[in-house]
Amino acid sequence: MQFQSSSTMQVVLVEGSTDRYICSVDYVKSRKSYLIERNVFDVIKFCYEPRTKEEIKCFSLQSGAISENQFDNFFSEFLLKKGIIKDSSVKETLILSSPLLKIKLRLLSPVVVNFLVKPLVGLFSINAAVILALVFLTSLIHIGVYIYNGDFSRQSAVLNWSDSIAVIALIGAGLIFHELGHATAAYKYGCRKVEIGVGWYIYFIVFYAELSEAWRLKPEKRLIIDCAGGYFQSIFGAILWLAFIYTEQFVFMSAAALLALYSVFNLNPFFRMDGYWIASDLMKITNLRTTAFGVIKKLFTTPFQLIQDMRINRGNLQRTVFFYAMAMVLFYIWFSYYVYSSLFPTSLKVFYDVSNAAFVHKFDLTELTISLAQLLWHGLIIYFVIYFSASMVKQIFGAIRSKYRV
């Protein structure tokens, strides 16, 4: 028998919290609410698609939601008895709210998004994809040669204030088109409630496409939705490159190059960007980061049990999650070292230069604005590293304290 999340349930993030949720579900003739932790929330999300009891057990143990000797009681007395999951033969839908964005401002309603993306669905044909990919690769080669010859640096140095604003506007348009790519792929697979907006995620402003409906799709279709944003962004970059070829205006080349650079950064599988969701759907794991954290906790608390589990469960997925978790740790150690050893001293120097220019010498408004923007960007990256490092250490020490608590 397979089980699936109940349609009568709604899960919302507790205000002011980052890892506690209120789960409300129709129970008999009343509606009951339960306070749950992040790990239990991830188990519920895992049940978006029909799962066997054994699959739910395996995921729960990997994510650290429950211990093995407590699982049967957790499954029968909480998940089933409270109506949180039901027999998957009953067709249902689930409502979940996203905890990722703290502040959201809708820019395009679902009606407008559907109107815009409907004619764009044809871009997912094989012929269109091949032609557009060739144009984009040609633009990348040209941009690379432009940078290698030093032409890019020379022209960047003479950009004025209005040119800089134009580049920023073009990049913003490209990022919105990126989200339209996700929305178009979702529309192709029947999602009609996608909105596009701007929000605040941890420490920086991001554009987003609300894709809650996509969780009902199979991982293979979600994978196409994950890749569609980068695909559309490459189309937009190719258009900018063609505009540069036609007009010889460097603002188009500059925006195309920066968007290409962002596309590479966006494929990083350790940040919650496209690369992360691609990796998550390739492994068919609803919350890859939480599962990886579960592996890291076991490494510090029950390493021998982890090794034994790896030997017993010799599936490729188990090994892939383990190597992903280890790669994530190594990446953040390197990234933290880079930030503390490189960006932090650079930020101090920029801060000194800005202070010196603002209060001691005469300063150029454009240079001061660029320096302040650089300082703000470095500060946000440093904050992110501290935030994530503290979060990881807190979880690891919390797991160790729970294990050895008397």
Side-chain angles (χ1 to χ4, degrees):
M1 181 180 292
Q2 291 187 321
F3 303 91
Q4 193 169 13
S5 301
S6 170
S7 65
T8 63
M9 177 177 55
Q10 184 175 14
V11 182
V12 297
L13 185 69
V14 174
E15 186 175 356
S17 175
T18 58
D19 57 2
R20 306 182 77 190
Y21 302 80
I22 295 177
C23 173
S24 301
V25 63
D26 288 344
Y27 183 65
V28 190
K29 294 185 178 181
S30 62
R31 190 163 183 84
K32 300 289 185 180
S33 297
Y34 310 97
L35 186 65
I36 62 174
E37 301 295 329
R38 179 61 181 262
N39 289 340
V40 177
F41 170 76
D42 291 327
V43 173
I44 294 172
K45 288 179 65 178
F46 180 70
C47 296
Y48 279 172
E49 298 181 4
R51 309 286 186 181
T52 64
K53 181 179 178 181
E54 195 60 33
E55 288 174 332
I56 298 173
K57 179 179 180 179
C58 182
F59 179 84
S60 300
L61 297 181
Q62 282 185 342
S63 63
I66 200 75
S67 63
E68 187 168 6
N69 60 346
Q70 295 175 323
F71 175 77
D72 288 336
N73 184 65
F74 166 72
F75 181 83
S76 59
E77 297 299 318
F78 182 69
L79 294 180
L80 277 180
K81 192 172 181 179
K82 304 300 184 184
I84 293 172
I85 63 173
K86 294 183 178 180
D87 187 341
S88 64
S89 62
V90 180
K91 299 298 181 182
E92 300 177 312
T93 56
L94 174 64
I95 302 173
L96 286 160
S97 65
S98 172
L100 296 179
L101 297 176
K102 307 305 179 186
I103 301 174
K104 296 197 298 184
L105 175 64
R106 186 170 72 173
L107 300 178
L108 301 175
S109 68
V111 174
V112 176
V113 170
N114 291 339
F115 174 78
L116 292 175
V117 303
K118 187 176 181 179
L120 300 177
V121 173
L123 292 175
F124 287 97
S125 68
I126 298 298
N127 291 336
V130 170
I131 293 172
L132 291 168
L134 290 174
V135 175
F136 179 64
L137 289 174
T138 304
S139 70
L140 288 183
I141 294 172
H142 185 204
I143 291 172
V145 172
Y146 214 75
I147 294 173
Y148 179 79
N149 291 338
D151 296 331
F152 192 92
S153 298
R154 284 192 294 272
Q155 295 208 39
S156 295
V158 297
L159 283 178
N160 56 36
W161 178 251
S162 61
D163 291 336
S164 300
I165 294 296
V167 170
I168 294 172
L170 289 172
I171 291 174
L175 296 180
I176 292 177
F177 201 68
H178 175 110
E179 301 306 331
L180 280 174
H182 293 306
T184 304
Y187 184 91
K188 177 181 174 67
Y189 295 120
C191 299
R192 298 294 186 269
K193 298 179 181 179
V194 180
E195 68 176 36
I196 291 176
V198 62
W200 183 261
Y201 170 55
I202 298 182
Y203 70 95
F204 59 93
I205 296 173
V206 295
F207 290 100
Y208 72 89
E210 178 55 59
L211 295 168
S212 299
E213 285 182 284
W215 285 112
R216 285 302 181 190
L217 302 173
K218 292 183 178 180
E220 293 79 10
K221 293 182 178 179
R222 291 204 306 268
L223 187 60
I224 294 176
I225 295 175
D226 297 336
C227 298
Y231 173 54
F232 267 49
Q233 188 172 313
S234 66
I235 294 173
F236 193 86
I239 293 173
L240 291 178
W241 173 72
L242 291 173
F244 168 74
I245 297 296
Y246 181 75
T247 65
E248 297 186 354
Q249 295 294 317
F250 181 70
V251 291
F252 295 115
M253 169 68 83
S254 180
L258 291 174
L259 280 173
L261 182 63
Y262 175 79
S263 295
V264 175
F265 175 74
N266 201 37
L267 291 175
N268 187 308
F270 306 115
F271 297 133
R272 284 185 182 269
M273 296 181 174
D274 290 352
Y276 170 81
W277 300 114
I278 290 171
S280 180
D281 285 328
L282 280 174
M283 295 187 225
K284 299 182 179 180
I285 297 176
T286 303
N287 196 318
L288 178 58
R289 178 174 290 180
T290 300
T291 305
F293 269 132
V295 172
I296 295 170
K297 290 178 185 177
K298 284 187 177 182
L299 184 65
F300 282 91
T301 56
T302 56
F304 296 108
Q305 182 64 43
L306 177 62
I307 294 173
Q308 185 177 357
D309 291 343
M310 292 283 291
R311 288 177 177 174
I312 296 174
N313 303 311
R314 297 194 176 189
N316 291 331
L317 178 60
Q318 183 89 1
R319 294 179 179 177
T320 303
V321 173
F322 174 80
F323 287 120
Y324 174 86
M326 297 304 101
M328 184 176 73
V329 171
L330 292 175
F331 171 79
Y332 278 110
I333 290 175
W334 169 82
F335 191 66
S336 300
Y337 171 78
Y338 168 75
V339 168
Y340 293 131
S341 64
S342 179
L343 286 188
F344 190 70
T346 303
S347 299
L348 291 178
K349 183 180 183 304
V350 172
F351 178 77
Y352 172 80
D353 292 340
V354 169
S355 302
N356 189 53
F359 300 108
V360 179
H361 302 293
K362 293 181 179 180
F363 59 88
D364 179 80
L365 181 60
T366 301
E367 292 182 359
L368 179 62
T369 303
I370 295 174
S371 297
L372 287 173
Q374 181 184 6
L375 184 63
L376 177 62
W377 177 245
H378 286 186
L380 291 175
I381 294 177
I382 292 170
Y383 168 77
F384 170 76
V385 171
I386 295 174
Y387 173 90
F388 188 86
S389 300
S391 176
M392 180 179 289
V393 171
K394 181 181 177 181
Q395 292 195 46
I396 292 173
F397 275 94
I400 295 174
R401 188 167 56 249
S402 299
K403 175 177 173 58
Y404 297 105
R405 183 177 294 161
V406 180

